Amino acid sequence: MSPDNPDRERPVDEADQPAPPRTPDAKPPEVDPSAGTAPGEFGPGQLPASAAYQSSLELRFDEPRRPLRALATVLGAVLALAALGVPLGLLWAVLAPDTPVLKTAEGAIYAEPQPEQPIAADGWFSLLGLAFGLLVALTLWFVLRRRRGPVGLLAAVLGTLVAAPVAWQVGRRIGLGTFERLLATAPAGQAFSKPADLRAGGVDWLLGVLPVPHGNLLLPAFGAAVMYTLLAGWSRWPGLRPEPEPGEFSWVSAGTPAPTTAPEPPAPDAAEPPRG
């Protein structure tokens, strides 16, 4: 044996032989668990670095998708966003101006020929709804990190579709009771104001059962869909979820003992120890 030929049974001038081809029925060689492993070899139950890293990724990021959990996530997000439609409607009622009207024998008419207040009410709702949709998509992108993708997009779009009519109904009812009372009891010629309402949006009923919003009630969902799509397109992870760096994993699992180092062979010219 020499440093150039560490195998004692193989002659120096013998060329290296290629490994035999693997067959489906081939079995791995049996390894004695009590025997040590040489440096660079892997014992039973041990994986190379690339295989261990791949298995760790599969455990953390290739989890089975459960439809019930995804449905619960979407429903929870829709309910939470519907509740957020209440403060959105209150904010719209504060910012949108009331329209001055005049009581006549036929009812209430605008005090001005072409009032700007109804247009301002539509504009404020459109701006607030669009900003609301952008913030919802951005928030759900970070809150639902494990559900990024179709589930997160569906939650953002459906949630904003529900929140917009809620905000509209809450905002338009601020001061509506006073307006209806004055409309019924005020004498002709009395001036008062009408609370903000939408003229460029509303809800139609499909078959009398399914509500279908239209107009600027769709702007929150539009903003949420655009923002979420842009975040997905700019994501640097193919799976949209943050993936760990290779250095964050240990190449050997905690339950696998560390491989023992086999004793190095004696040098070619080393003297044999004395025998008793």
Side-chain angles (χ1 to χ4, degrees):
M1 182 182 66
S2 65
D4 298 334
N5 184 26
D7 191 354
R8 299 182 180 182
E9 303 298 333
R10 183 169 62 88
V12 177
D13 55 352
E14 182 179 350
D16 294 335
Q17 300 295 330
R22 299 183 61 181
T23 59
D25 299 334
K27 297 182 179 180
E30 297 181 358
V31 182
D32 187 2
S34 60
T37 56
E41 298 179 354
F42 299 94
Q46 299 173 2
L47 296 174
S50 59
Y53 176 63
Q54 182 179 3
S55 62
S56 300
L57 288 180
E58 292 175 354
L59 289 176
R60 290 188 58 180
F61 298 101
D62 292 339
E63 300 176 354
R65 297 184 179 274
R66 298 176 175 84
L68 293 181
R69 289 190 177 183
L71 181 60
T73 301
V74 173
L75 291 179
V78 169
L79 293 178
L81 293 176
L84 290 178
V86 175
L88 179 63
L90 296 176
L91 180 61
W92 172 59
V94 171
L95 296 177
D98 294 340
T99 304
V101 296
L102 187 65
K103 175 65 180 297
T104 64
E106 291 80 12
I109 61 173
Y110 289 132
E112 301 175 0
Q114 294 181 351
E116 298 179 355
Q117 290 81 3
I119 301 176
D122 282 328
W124 275 112
F125 190 91
S126 300
L127 292 177
L128 292 175
L130 187 60
F132 178 75
L134 298 178
L135 291 177
V136 164
L138 193 62
T139 302
L140 292 183
W141 177 264
F142 291 102
V143 172
L144 302 180
R145 300 178 63 182
R146 298 176 61 85
R147 296 295 181 182
R148 288 178 180 175
V151 175
L153 179 61
L154 184 63
V157 172
L158 290 182
T160 48
L161 278 177
V162 175
V166 171
W168 171 44
Q169 291 298 321
V170 169
R172 68 183 294 269
R173 293 182 184 277
I174 302 299
L176 184 60
T178 302
F179 169 76
E180 292 178 348
R181 179 177 56 83
L182 291 174
L183 185 61
T185 61
Q190 181 176 350
F192 49 95
S193 61
K194 179 183 179 182
D197 202 350
L198 292 182
R199 297 195 307 177
V203 175
D204 295 331
W205 292 89
L206 182 63
L207 302 178
V209 178
L210 182 63
V212 180
H214 62 86
N216 48 10
L217 289 180
L218 299 177
L219 283 177
F222 174 76
V226 170
M227 174 58 74
Y228 202 93
T229 304
L230 290 177
L231 291 173
W234 291 338
S235 177
R236 63 190 181 96
W237 295 293
L240 300 182
R241 292 175 289 178
E243 298 178 1
E245 301 295 335
E248 296 181 8
F249 293 96
S250 174
W251 304 132
V252 183
S253 61
T256 305
T260 57
T261 304
E264 297 182 358
D269 301 332
E272 294 183 359
R275 300 180 180 177

